[in-house]
Amino acid sequence: MGKNKLKKFAELENNPLVLQYPFRTIEAGGFPLKGRWRADFFHNDNPIVLELGCGKGEYTVGLARRYPDKNFIGIDIKGARIWSGAKTALNDGMTNVAFVRTSIELLEAFFAPGEVAEIWITFPDPQMKKVNKRLTGTRFMEMYRHVLQPGGMVHLKTDSPFLYTYTTMMAEHNSLEILENTADLYATLPADDPILNIRTHYEQQWLDRGLTIKYFSFRPGTTPALEEPPGADDIAPDTYRSYSRGYIECPQLLDDDANAEK
């Protein structure tokens, strides 16, 4: 392991905004802040918003700056990624931000039923071949239902046509309440919309390559049990992920590469 990563891990251990609880620790004694996040960590009664697979925490920190009346928690398994957002939040003296280093599959070990108001899923791996690992699949959606308060919301931002199509089909098949749905976020919302003003490093790369960003928000409800949508296996895969990012909506890049080889 490189010295830079070791340095980051050491800083994470001493950052009060970062909580690292291995599965063995959770299994042995549980998580002490479960059901107590507002009282014991944030020391307020403001709503809790999660970002799942938060990466470097750009969205977690960006949302926290714009909405000081909400508490934001970024969740990711990669400590070297979390380090960046956690360091920024600590240096800036932010009091409505936290990061948890854990697997998203352990979500219910960290949050009590109804403790969360909103969930953001920003640019996840679409998991085209593994529906059980898909963060907008029904398996994870049932987890979200347990931790979300009644009327709680889920937001998805993605560059993936596959994941966007799947999530739309899943919500429609289960008659979930759809709040907003756009296949081209930056062409649909007004330029001053706060959702547009926060861009992750990878989102900007995709925009620079001509990809459209999709946004989908909905309420997963509480009942009945969710079903996988029929026809999901026939959704066209994201072919651009087999090449350089951007190919699927920038076919001219293929032509440029072909010309370069001649």
Side-chain angles (χ1 to χ4, degrees), residues 31-40 48 109-113 115:
F31 180 64
L33 289 176
K34 181 177 179 179
R36 303 286 307 169
W37 275 98
R38 279 174 284 201
D40 294 349
I48 291 175
F110 289 86
F111 300 95
E115 193 170 16

Side-chain angles (χ1 to χ4, degrees), residues 194-252:
I195 295 175
L196 300 183
N197 295 329
I198 307 170
R199 298 184 186 181
T200 68
H201 171 73
Y202 291 110
E203 179 177 3
Q204 188 59 56
Q205 284 190 345
W206 292 321
L207 287 169
D208 291 343
R209 286 169 170 79
L211 281 166
T212 58
I213 304 301
K214 298 91 171 70
Y215 173 70
F216 189 78
S217 62
F218 58 100
R219 302 188 198 278
T222 56
T223 55
L226 298 172
E227 299 178 349
E228 285 296 320
D233 292 340
D234 299 325
I235 300 173
D238 295 339
T239 55
Y240 73 92
R241 290 183 181 270
S242 300
Y243 304 97
S244 296
R245 283 189 174 124
Y247 278 177
I248 194 169
E249 297 187 31
C250 293
Q252 70 274 14

Side-chain angles (χ1 to χ4, degrees), residues 54-262:
C54 67
K56 296 181 179 181
E58 297 138 304
Y59 227 82
T60 300
V61 172
L63 286 170
R65 291 191 198 283
R66 285 160 176 76
Y67 300 101
D69 57 343
K70 296 181 180 181
N71 303 313
F72 293 87
I73 304 173
I75 298 175
D76 205 294
I77 195 65
K78 300 286 188 178
R81 294 177 185 170
I82 287 176
W83 171 85
S84 179
K87 183 175 183 179
T88 297
L90 181 64
N91 289 345
D92 291 356
M94 301 180 74
T95 59
N96 64 330
V97 179
F99 290 90
V100 179
R101 184 184 177 191
T102 191
S103 168
I104 296 170
E105 296 186 356
L106 298 178
L107 198 65
E108 292 174 85
F110 289 86
F111 300 95
E115 193 170 16
V116 176
E118 299 177 45
I119 291 175
W120 279 85
I121 306 171
T122 51
F123 303 99
D125 185 328
Q127 296 288 351
M128 290 180 283
K129 295 182 179 180
K130 299 177 181 179
V131 67
N132 281 341
K133 291 184 175 291
R134 203 171 296 158
L135 290 186
T136 59
T138 55
R139 172 175 173 251
F140 278 96
M141 206 58 58
E142 294 290 359
M143 291 184 201
Y144 307 156
R145 280 179 158 187
H146 288 138
V147 301
L148 281 170
Q149 65 187 36
M153 297 169 57
V154 173
H155 307 260
L156 170 69
K157 275 184 81 176
T158 181
D159 64 297
S160 166
F162 173 90
L163 187 62
Y164 169 71
T165 301
Y166 166 81
T167 307
T168 302
M169 290 175 63
M170 184 279 299
E172 291 177 344
H173 176 67
N174 289 285
S175 300
L176 304 183
E177 181 185 356
I178 297 172
L179 303 173
E180 201 153 354
N181 181 5
T182 174
D184 190 348
L185 179 63
Y186 289 87
T188 304
L189 296 187
D192 60 349
D193 191 289
I195 295 175
L196 300 183
N197 295 329
I198 307 170
R199 298 184 186 181
T200 68
H201 171 73
Y202 291 110
E203 179 177 3
Q204 188 59 56
Q205 284 190 345
W206 292 321
L207 287 169
D208 291 343
R209 286 169 170 79
L211 281 166
T212 58
I213 304 301
K214 298 91 171 70
Y215 173 70
F216 189 78
S217 62
F218 58 100
R219 302 188 198 278
T222 56
T223 55
L226 298 172
E227 299 178 349
E228 285 296 320
D233 292 340
D234 299 325
I235 300 173
D238 295 339
T239 55
Y240 73 92
R241 290 183 181 270
S242 300
Y243 304 97
S244 296
R245 283 189 174 124
Y247 278 177
I248 194 169
E249 297 187 31
C250 293
Q252 70 274 14
L253 295 180
L254 290 170
D255 296 334
D256 291 344
D257 284 354
N259 292 332
E261 293 174 358
K262 291 180 180 179

